[in-house]
Amino acid sequence: RTGWALEKGHGIGPVQADRYTQAEWCGLGRVGCRMRLRAVLDRQRRLLDVTRALEKVSNSGTIIMSPSEMSIVVNPGTFHDVQVWASVKADCADGGVFRTYRIESQNDNRIALEIDLSLFSRALKTAESAEMATMKLSKKDGKAFLSFEIILQSTPMMTVIQDVAVIVLTAEEEVQLREPEIGIPTVRLIAPPLKGLANVTDRLNGFHDKIL
């Protein structure tokens, strides 16, 4: 679901992280608790690059938001049982991707959202060159959305609204998604450029399915 809105003839001031409308208090369906999520994006390009990389593995993913970081997980079982994790810090002062950030939930201020990564990256692409882009969790017609309000540099000023449908996970479902503890590696390998390595392995695949 994508919506478009055009506002003319007036400026839009900075978004205050501690101001919420009633609609932003989300009591979301089967989750049964109220939660808040609102962030002003700061490094859209970095977040877009991470999302596009994971999108090549699977379009289906889970975003896990916590007070200190944002993680994107390719769901287990969607690609030959491979689970892929990528995490970025939240606070831009600490090298993160949000200028302002506010999250509240009854699950230790953590929120997990199942999302279509292709739609998420499309919204981030629109926000890449924006004057300001705000991301918030909202509820419309009883359904949950990650809503983007994107102010574009144009005359007159244009505001684009993009709603990306999400499924809010329960605390029990979210706890099942934990980054595996890999430990300290005993062997480290420096590989050649991955593109060149892929070309070699693709050619050798015609000889045998196992290569030493």
Side-chain angles (χ1 to χ4, degrees):
R1 172 181 174 180
T2 303
W4 301 87
L6 178 64
E7 298 186 10
K8 298 182 179 180
H10 64 278
I12 302 177
V15 174
Q16 300 298 319
D18 58 349
R19 294 180 59 190
Y20 292 88
T21 64
Q22 183 64 30
E24 290 171 309
W25 266 115
C26 294
L28 294 167
R30 64 196 183 92
V31 178
C33 65
R34 303 176 81 182
M35 54 188 65
R36 288 174 171 174
L37 172 63
R38 185 185 183 106
V40 176
L41 298 175
D42 185 69
R43 293 179 173 88
Q44 295 93 307
R45 181 66 194 186
R46 178 185 300 178
L47 191 53
L48 177 60
D49 288 342
V50 171
T51 303
R52 282 178 168 172
L54 295 180
E55 184 186 347
K56 293 179 180 179
V57 179
S58 174
N59 280 335
S60 176
T62 301
I63 295 175
I64 302 176
M65 311 289 293
S66 73
S68 61
E69 68 179 18
M70 172 182 181
S71 298
I72 305 177
V73 186
V74 171
N75 292 336
T78 59
F79 187 74
H80 303 300
D81 295 323
V82 172
Q83 186 184 83
V84 183
W85 280 74
S87 297
V88 293
K89 293 184 180 298
D91 190 352
C92 67
D94 195 26
V97 294
F98 300 132
R99 191 182 311 167
T100 62
Y101 181 55
R102 179 76 173 271
I103 182 171
E104 295 180 21
S105 79
Q106 296 176 358
N107 181 28
D108 294 327
N109 293 328
R110 296 173 62 89
I111 297 175
L113 310 169
E114 284 189 5
I115 194 170
D116 186 316
L117 293 179
S118 63
L119 298 179
F120 183 56
S121 66
R122 190 180 304 173
L124 292 173
K125 178 62 178 177
T126 305
E128 183 179 6
S129 58
E131 179 75 19
M132 185 170 69
T134 303
M135 181 181 74
K136 64 184 180 181
L137 183 63
S138 63
K139 182 174 69 172
K140 301 178 181 180
D141 300 325
K143 297 180 181 179
F145 294 91
L146 200 57
S147 297
F148 290 80
E149 181 179 309
I150 304 166
I151 302 175
L152 300 177
Q153 297 175 339
S154 62
T155 304
M157 183 175 292
M158 178 182 292
T159 300
V160 177
I161 306 296
Q162 289 187 252
D163 292 331
V164 181
V166 297
I167 297 175
V168 182
L169 301 186
T170 64
E172 292 75 15
E173 291 169 330
E174 189 268 331
V175 78
Q176 301 299 320
L177 293 172
R178 286 289 181 266
E179 188 171 4
E181 296 182 3
I182 299 176
I184 301 175
T186 56
V187 177
R188 290 183 172 88
L189 300 176
I190 299 177
L194 295 181
K195 185 175 181 180
L197 184 61
N199 290 335
V200 173
T201 56
D202 287 344
R203 293 174 182 176
L204 294 176
N205 190 45
F207 291 97
H208 200 276
D209 58 350
K210 295 182 180 180
I211 301 173
L212 179 61

